[in-house]
Structure formats: structure tokens, C-alpha cells
Amino acid sequence: MSINKNLLIPLTAFVLLVIVLAFGFRLEDPHYLPSELINRPFPEFSLQDLHDPDRTLTVADIKGKVSLVNVWATWCPNCLVEHPELIRISQEEGIALYGVNYNDVSSKAIAWLERHGNPYRLNMVDSSGTLAIDLGVYGAPETFVLDEQGVIQYRHVGAVTRRVWKSKILPVVELLQTQSGDG
Amino acid sequence: MVRIAFLFLLVFSVESYAAIDAYPFPNDELRLRHIALIDELRCPQCLNTNLAGSDSMIAKDLRREVHRLLLEGKTDDEILDYMYQRYGDFILYKPRLQGGTLVLWFGPVFLLLLAFAVLFRLLRGSKALETELSEADSRRLEQLVKRK
């Protein structure tokens, strides 16, 4: 019994369709945007210090060591979720954590940090979101890992939970620290 | 009194409406380009809304950014490039012609040509079948018809 070759055409077409759709509809978060900024230097900025309005912070203030930059705001519920973990990181992990206070009111931000604790070494006031736009931020919180040259090596969108820290951010930080020899 | 209250409401509502998004432009050409650009750029926070149609914070910021860049004298391409460098493919509703988007651009054309090829073969095949049948089986067909 010979197989009719014409019957193979719809079967092949079906298999091809399944393959294409499997790639197209992978179960991933459709809100996730891949970052264009990985391996690019942290953008230049000139922003007010949250706690010292007379002081202007620039990219030179956060460069030099492997560090974390966290984009946060008081209006952002997930920022409150990740806050205890950020405090733990700043106390236990010995890595510099800088804050970008994004589209916020400074008085509210200061009060919020007094209430929930302040894990940040420095906080930039980005009240019009210009640094956030340069960082390609599309929501808060977002966390960037910088190497000692100030080049962005990793970006996490969403709350930094214990699990995210352990499985995603810490490995990058450790790799960078061993590369630079200060870990 | 009512009239004054009404007048107040009228003025106030116009004012607040204008405050949502009223960017001053020196000329209509820039205004139209602003409209075209925020129509063509996709809001990074939303799944399928352009900058013009979204009320999210990032869309507002980016509309303001497009306005600023236009006043600085940037061309449309420079502005699209500025957005692309920060937000990547996602922000462009019209994807660029590059490695990853080749399939997107030429896939449909390829599929159309493939469909034509298949259609062509099917049509030729059925014609060949027709002629073959009339030549080889016509005598048998006649016999069958006669027998009845």
C-alpha cells in the first residue's frame, strides 16, 4: 500500500504552523521589554540629591565600584514590596545601592524613607523622569547592575524579591566582583 | 449666582482640559509632526496603545520628550532613533528592516508566492488529469454507456 503523497502536504503544513505558533506564543510575560541598554554606559545625568537639594549628583558619583541602581517612587506599590529586601541587601551584602526617585514629590519620598528605612547611599531626584527615559524605564521598580566602569550589565524589571536576588541579580554581581577583583 | 458658578465651571473645565496635554508649538508643521510621531510610537507600558492614546505616566513623559526634541530641531528619524535606543523594537509600530524582522517584512510576500505556486501546480495537475481521462478511458466509458 503506497501513501498518497498529496496527503503529506496538509500534514507538513500543520507541523510547520505548530512550530511557528509555538515560537510566537511562548509563555512569557508580554509586558517584558528586553533592554537596549545592556553593555552601554550608564547615561549622563545631573540631578538633585534628595536629602541635600543644594548638591547636584552626576554619573561620577555612582561610578567606581560594582553597584545597584534602583528606580523607585512612593506611588509604586511594588517598591514597597521590594523595600525590605533592598534594606537587607544594603545591610548584609556590602554593595552600594543608589536610588532614582522617579516622578515623585521629594517631601513625600523623604517621609517614605523615614517610615520604611533608607537603604540608599544616594538618591537622585528625577522629578520629570528624564533619567528614567534615558534608562528606558517603563515602570517602577527597575533595578540596574553596574560594573566598576559604570557600564550597565543587568536590568531587572519588577520587585527585587529574595528569590530574584538569589537567582538573578546576585550571580551577576558576584561575577562582576570576581572579574574586578574586589569581591 | 448660578450664572457665575456656571461661568466659573466653564472656564475651569476648559483650563483643566488644556492642562492635560497642551504643548505650545511655534508653527503648525511641528504640531502635525508631533501628532504623527506620538501616533507612530507605542507606549512601552501598554501592550497595544500608542503614545497618543495612553494615559500612563510613561506615555505622558514620552509625549513631552517628543515635544522637547521637536523644539530642539531634531528630525523625525532622529526622534525615532532616540526612542529606539532606549526602548528597542517594542516602541516602533513600524518595525525596522533588520535581521530579526526580515521574516516580518518578507514572510507575507514569500507566503503569497508559495500560495501562487501551489495554486498553479494544482490547476495544471487537474487539467492534465482531465485530458488523460478523456484519451485513455473514453472507449471504456462508451462501452459502459452502451451496455446500459
Side-chain angles (χ1 to χ4, degrees):
Chain A
M1 201 178 111
S2 71
I3 302 169
N4 188 344
K5 270 186 191 166
N6 283 336
L7 284 179
L8 286 176
I9 293 173
L11 181 69
T12 325
F14 175 73
V15 170
L16 279 176
L17 191 69
V18 166
I19 293 170
V20 168
L21 292 185
F23 273 105
F25 294 104
R26 266 172 302 169
L27 283 176
E28 58 182 28
D29 183 4
H31 283 280
Y32 177 74
L33 262 70
S35 178
E36 290 298 311
L37 277 114
I38 304 296
N39 287 325
R40 292 231 300 257
F42 198 85
E44 297 281 336
F45 63 88
S46 172
L47 295 171
Q48 219 177 41
D49 185 330
L50 179 67
H51 300 284
D52 182 3
D54 292 332
R55 187 178 171 195
T56 304
L57 299 171
T58 65
V59 73
D61 290 299
I62 61 169
K63 253 199 243 180
K65 275 209 156 189
V66 179
S67 59
L68 303 174
V69 176
N70 178 250
V71 181
W72 70 284
T74 56
W75 47 259
C76 141
N78 269 331
C79 296
L80 194 56
V81 171
E82 70 172 3
H83 205 68
E85 180 63 14
L86 292 184
I87 286 182
R88 191 198 63 79
I89 290 168
S90 70
Q91 286 170 350
E92 294 175 15
E93 303 286 350
I95 180 168
L97 174 62
Y98 301 103
V100 176
N101 187 227
Y102 169 46
N103 274 356
D104 211 345
V105 181
S106 290
S107 57
K108 276 192 194 172
I110 292 168
W112 196 87
L113 289 177
E114 270 167 19
R115 201 169 140 207
H116 301 290
N118 183 1
Y120 304 108
R121 221 168 263 195
L122 287 170
N123 239 311
M124 282 72 84
V125 179
D126 191 20
S127 51
S128 53
T130 47
L131 175 58
I133 289 173
D134 283 342
L135 281 169
V137 166
Y138 58 95
E142 289 194 20
T143 306
F144 295 84
V145 181
L146 272 58
D147 67 14
E148 39 174 23
Q149 277 82 42
V151 174
I152 297 171
Q153 295 291 345
Y154 187 76
R155 171 213 211 178
H156 177 74
V157 179
V160 176
T161 57
R162 193 60 176 276
R163 186 199 275 180
V164 167
W165 170 255
K166 271 194 164 168
S167 64
K168 291 183 174 165
I169 299 178
L170 185 60
V172 179
V173 168
E174 280 179 337
L175 184 72
L176 291 175
Q177 283 178 338
T178 48
Q179 274 173 0
S180 66
D182 65 7
Chain B
M1 184 63 205
V2 175
R3 207 179 270 189
I4 290 170
F6 181 71
L7 200 70
F8 176 77
L9 273 178
L10 197 71
V11 169
F12 182 74
S13 64
V14 167
E15 194 89 330
S16 64
Y17 173 73
I20 292 173
D21 236 7
Y23 294 116
F25 286 99
N27 56 51
D28 277 351
E29 187 237 328
L30 278 186
R31 188 191 313 280
L32 291 175
R33 279 173 58 201
H34 187 254
I35 294 172
L37 280 167
I38 62 175
D39 195 57
E40 192 176 326
L41 288 165
R42 183 175 174 189
C43 156
Q45 172 80 71
C46 335
L47 281 184
N48 196 5
T49 317
N50 54 18
L51 288 185
S54 169
D55 214 18
S56 70
M57 182 183 284
I58 184 70
K60 262 182 226 166
D61 285 352
L62 289 180
R63 285 198 295 265
R64 191 200 59 218
E65 202 66 7
V66 171
H67 173 250
R68 184 180 69 79
L69 293 168
L70 278 171
L71 289 194
E72 273 179 18
K74 296 275 194 304
T75 65
D76 288 2
D77 280 343
E78 280 168 341
I79 294 173
L80 291 177
D81 211 53
Y82 176 93
M83 294 295 170
Y84 183 81
Q85 281 184 2
R86 283 156 182 79
Y87 293 97
D89 282 320
F90 191 94
I91 199 157
L92 303 177
Y93 262 128
K94 204 194 280 171
R96 296 186 161 186
L97 192 56
Q98 57 193 23
T101 55
L102 276 178
V103 178
L104 216 57
W105 279 88
F106 298 110
V109 178
F110 173 74
L111 285 178
L112 188 70
L113 289 179
L114 193 73
F116 274 131
V118 170
L119 189 71
F120 185 66
R121 275 196 60 169
L122 282 177
L123 285 177
R124 248 186 34 176
S126 66
K127 230 177 229 171
L129 210 66
E130 228 170 69
T131 48
E132 200 184 307
L133 205 120
S134 58
E135 275 176 20
D137 295 333
S138 56
R139 225 174 293 154
R140 226 184 120 205
L141 190 66
E142 255 171 58
Q143 280 180 349
L144 284 170
V145 172
K146 271 182 189 168
R147 207 184 283 172
K148 222 182 176 182

